[in-house]
Amino acid sequence: MYCKNCGAEIDDNAVICVKCGVPVRGNKGHIDQDDEGASGGLSLVCFFFPLIGLILYCVWNNDYPTKSSDCGKFALYGFLTAFIGSLLLFGCTASQVSQYL
C-alpha cells in the first residue's frame, strides 16, 4: 500500500504513514480528545449573539464536531427566541395602536 499524502510505501496494516505521519485507511485524521460539549458561558454567548455561534459552528465543524454542534444549536435557539419575541412585541404594540385610531 502507498501513502496518499507522500507516496511512500507502507505496510498494509499501518494506521499512519511512517514517513510523513499522515493517518491512512480512512482515519479522519487527528481530532483532539478534548472535544466536549460547549461550556455554559460559551452556550450563553452563542444564545445571545447568534452570529458568533454561527461563526464558531463553521470554524469548528471539522476539528470539534460536538462543540460546534452545540454552538450552532444555541445560536439557532437564540435567533428563534429573538424572532418570536419581536413578533409578539410587534403584535402587542400594533393592537394597542389600532385601539387609538
Side-chain angles (χ1 to χ4, degrees):
M1 181 166 70
Y2 294 94
C3 176
K4 293 179 182 178
N5 185 51
C6 68
E9 187 173 352
I10 53 177
D11 185 44
D12 289 340
N13 297 324
V15 177
I16 62 169
C17 175
V18 293
K19 184 174 180 184
C20 66
V22 172
V24 294
R25 289 254 170 162
N27 291 336
K28 290 186 174 183
H30 177 69
I31 295 178
D32 287 344
Q33 299 300 323
D34 297 335
D35 183 26
E36 299 172 357
S39 66
L42 184 59
S43 299
L44 286 175
V45 167
C46 293
F47 181 81
F48 288 111
F49 302 100
L51 183 61
I52 293 174
L54 178 64
I55 291 169
L56 290 176
Y57 171 77
C58 293
V59 170
W60 286 344
N61 199 17
N62 291 330
D63 296 331
Y64 305 102
T66 306
K67 194 179 289 188
S68 73
S69 175
D70 288 349
C71 289
K73 282 186 226 177
F74 280 103
L76 180 63
Y77 297 154
F79 175 76
L80 290 176
T81 302
F83 183 73
I84 291 171
S86 64
L87 286 178
L88 290 173
L89 182 65
F90 178 73
C92 292
T93 306
S95 67
Q96 289 177 356
V97 168
S98 66
Q99 290 176 357
Y100 297 111
L101 296 177

